[in-house]
Amino acid sequence: MKKSSLILTALCVSVFVVGTSEYLIAGLLPQVAHDLGVSVGAAGQTVTAYGLGVVIGGPVVTLLTARMPRKGLALSLMLLFAVGSAVSAFAGSYEVLLLGRVLSSLSHAAFFALSLVVASRVVPEEKVGRATAAVVSGLTVATLLGVPLGALLGERTTWRTPFIVLTALTLLGTALLAVVLPRQAAESAGARAEIRVMAQRPVLLAIATTAVGFAGVATVFTYIAPLLTDVTGFAAFVVSVLLLAYGAGSFIGNIIAGRLTDRAPAATLRGVFAALALLLACTPFAITYKPTAVLAVLLLGLLATATIAPLQGLILRHAQEAPTLAVSVNVGAFQLATAMGSAIGGVIVAAGELRWTGLAGAVLSALGLVVSCYALPRRRSDAPAAQAGTRTPTTA
């Protein structure tokens, strides 16, 4: 196996562990609430705390560590994540659990961003999209298998067991990274260079594309279960199967998008957002009939994660001088998009119009398409590849 393939595999495994932790606790809220003597609503705030840690803490950690060698930083972030998981596993109170979740979240965005940047540095320029998709596949597998299996383990034992397992897996992932990661110097001259690059108009537009465009997916997917049961009329078991199919579709869509991004990044991004807008606009009508509802869920799975590789590629292309902060902020933008889409969908659901969340999602995805047109260069000659400055691994 090539050294680059080993590195991508190690990064994918590590991202899988980090991604599993993000939503794992959502399936364990009743047990957490009962054990720690708080309400389910209060227990749910641990999910919110994690999300805020990703959005706010990720860029801060990235700036503070801008001058660290990349390999040492990757290992340090994984160890921080392990500490957070261990604190969560053995938390004796609600406050300690919150602390553990925040500690884990501080490494989430920074590590994911670093993984994408490192992956883009160990492959040829024409394979950056595929490398990005390989790393992102760790997240899709976490959603497909990690979260449900972790929740099942927690239900059969105790909610603490999955976090103990995550801690062990994190340490194993750290050891794997220590063996296969090449030594790389810091990607920039420091925090000022990172901030200067991120403040450029194309980079800000690319981040805005993420925040607005991906919110369309969250507007619908957050409420997909009640949509399929209350409007379509599926049984709860069938919904679970469909969600599993959605996860499988997300994995496939991400891989395909990575390959297409290497060939035509602009066309891939615009095509995905155009297809998303069309699909979401049709969803309110498709879900009234079971066969078309199934097709809509499968297509949504394929398209949802297909946005990630071209969006991250867009960031890397515009911020290649000092990309880590920009990528980290873009990771937070996905979190912001999820929060924004969920809130908009919640307003629609509260108004008794559950069926029509797709129309709001379509508008957001269409807006993402419009913003992407400004973020992407007009001519091919204006679009240096993400890794025009691709380097071979260097010694820190």
Side-chain angles (χ1 to χ4, degrees), residues 295-321:
L295 179 61
V297 171
L298 294 178
L299 291 176
L300 184 60
L302 283 170
L303 292 172
T305 55
T307 61
I308 300 178
L311 281 170
Q312 295 292 10
L314 181 59
I315 292 290
L316 288 168
R317 188 160 59 249
H318 286 310
Q320 57 185 280
E321 294 178 8

